[in-house]
Amino acid sequence: MSLEFNHVTLAQRVLFGAGQAATNLKNEVDRLGVNRVMVIAGGHEAELARTVAGDIEVAVWHDDVVMHVPVETADKARSVATDNDIDLLVSLGGGSTTGLAKAIALTTGLPIISVPTTYAGSEATNVWGLTEDARKTTGTDDRVLPLTVIYDSELTLSLPVEMSVASGLNGMAHCIDSLWAPGADPINAAMAAEGIRALSSGLPMIVAQPQGIQGRDEVLYGAYLAALSFASAGSGLHHKICHVLGGTFNLPHAQTHATVLPYVLAFNAPFAPEAEKRAAAAFGTDTALEGLQALRSAVDAPKCLADYGFTAGGVPEAVAIILEKLPVNNPREVTADNLTTLLTAALHGDDPASLS
C-alpha cells in the first residue's frame, strides 16, 4: 500500500537553552528592529518578566491575564496595544499569557515572541481560544503563531512539582490526541511519539529532583514536540471535551487535561490499533494505557474532576455541548450515552480500563 498524506509545517524560529532567555530575547528584538514592545506577564510572573526583559526597552508592561482568555480581557489588551502603537508583543508565562498575546495578534496582526514558563505548548501552535458567556471558542489563524519561541528550562524551576506534572500531562494529551485527530499523518505522529517518550522520561525526573535542569529540559522539549504535532493534526476528542470543561465550567486547564486523558485514551484505543501501538512503543509498555497509568502513578497525577469543582449535575450540559463540537473522524462513535459514561468515570476517578 502506498504512502499518501498532506502535511503542513508551521514556520517558526525556536531558541532553546537553559539560562539564555534574556540574551536570546535581546538578540531577537534587535534582529527584528522593533521600537515599541509590550510585555505581557501575569502578576505572579512580573518579577521574572522584568529580569528576562531587562536588556530591552519596554513601552508597556501588561499584567491583566485571565485563564481561558475572556473576551473582555482580550479587548482591553487590544486597546492597550493599539493606543500605545505597539509593534511587538512579548509574552512570558503559561498558556493563558500566550493566549492573551494571540488574542491581540488575531485582530492586530502584531508579531509575538513567546517565552513559556510552563509546558502548555500554546506557543508552538496557530490555535487561538476565547471565552464568552461561558462558551470557549477556538480557531486557527497563522497571525497568532508566535514568530519566535524562547525556551529556557530555568524559567520553569519555580513551577511547583504538582503544576509541572499537570502541565506536562497536558502536553502528553497533545501527543496522544494527535494520533487520531482530523489531520493525523505520519509526520505529526512521529513527533507525537517522540513527545510521549520525552515527557514520560522527564516528568519523573522533575518529581525526583525539582531543581534539576535535565528533567525540565526533557519535558520542555517534549512539550514543544507535543504542540507541533497538535498544531498539525488538529483538535481531537480529548481537546473538544476539555475545552468545554474549561470554558463552560471554568475548570483549571492543565489539571483538567491531565485528569481526562486516560479516559479518552481508554475510550478510543481499541478502535485505533495503529495509533495505540505507536503510543505503547513510545511508553515502552505493552499497551498505551498501561504506560500512561504507570507514569501517572509515578508522578502522582490529578485523579478526578470532582477535585476541581466539577459535579454530576454538570455532566448532561457538558455532554450536550461536546456533542456539538465532535471532531469529524474520531475512531470510535461518540454518543450521549458513552460520553456520559466517560465523563462520569473521570468525575469520580474510576478505573479508565472500564471504558475499553
Side-chain angles (χ1 to χ4, degrees), residues 24 96 105 151 195 219 240 277 308 313:
N24 283 334
S96 298
Y151 288 112
V219 174
K240 298 299 185 183
K277 198 178 301 182
Y308 304 103

Side-chain angles (χ1 to χ4, degrees), residues 44-273:
H44 60 290
E45 303 279 19
E47 184 177 348
L48 184 60
R50 290 184 180 274
T51 298
V52 173
D55 295 331
I56 67 171
E57 186 173 338
V58 177
V60 174
W61 299 90
H62 188 80
D63 63 1
D64 185 10
V65 177
V66 181
M67 187 172 63
H68 303 304
V69 195
V71 167
E72 300 82 8
T73 302
D75 286 341
K76 289 178 185 176
R78 288 163 175 165
S79 295
V80 170
T82 55
D83 290 349
N84 287 276
D85 297 320
I86 297 302
D87 55 9
L88 175 69
L89 305 170
V90 174
S91 67
L92 187 143
S96 298
T97 306
T98 308
L100 181 58
K102 287 181 170 185
I104 299 171
L106 183 64
T107 58
T108 64
L110 288 171
I112 303 170
I113 294 178
S114 179
V115 188
T117 60
T118 71
Y119 311 114
S122 175
E123 68 280 351
T125 80
N126 60 352
V127 179
W128 57 267
L130 291 166
T131 301
E132 184 174 19
D133 297 329
R135 294 291 186 272
K136 187 168 185 176
T137 301
T138 62
T140 60
D141 193 308
D142 287 348
R143 286 177 298 177
V144 309
L145 178 71
L147 187 68
T148 303
V149 182
I150 296 173
Y151 288 112
D152 182 342
S153 55
E154 288 189 2
L155 302 183
T156 70
L157 291 175
S158 62
L159 191 65
V161 168
E162 183 179 348
M163 189 60 203
S164 297
V165 167
S167 186
L169 288 172
N170 178 25
M172 183 70 75
H174 289 136
C175 293
I176 291 175
D177 218 26
S178 295
L179 295 175
W180 45 55
D185 65 44
I187 295 177
N188 51 49
M191 291 189 291
E194 172 63 1
I196 291 171
R197 183 212 60 76
L199 290 164
S200 59
S201 168
L203 282 171
M205 292 186 203
I206 291 177
V207 172
Q209 192 177 1
Q211 295 303 299
I213 289 298
Q214 183 180 355
R216 299 279 181 177
D217 266 354
E218 190 84 342
V219 174
L220 204 54
Y221 163 67
Y224 170 64
L225 291 174
L228 283 183
S229 58
F230 174 69
S232 172
S235 186
L237 178 63
H238 172 89
H239 283 80
K240 298 299 185 183
I241 291 172
C242 291
H243 287 164
V244 170
L245 294 176
T248 303
F249 301 93
N250 203 36
L251 301 191
H253 184 85
Q255 292 89 337
T256 300
H257 281 269
T259 302
V260 171
L261 178 57
Y263 298 96
V264 177
L265 175 58
F267 181 85
N268 271 345
F271 297 81

Side-chain angles (χ1 to χ4, degrees), residues 14-25:
V14 175
L15 304 173
F16 197 112
Q20 297 179 40
T23 299
N24 283 334
L25 178 59

Side-chain angles (χ1 to χ4, degrees), residues 276-277 279-281 283-291:
E276 194 280 334
K277 198 178 301 182
F283 279 117
T285 51
D286 290 337
T287 70
L289 185 60
E290 176 189 345

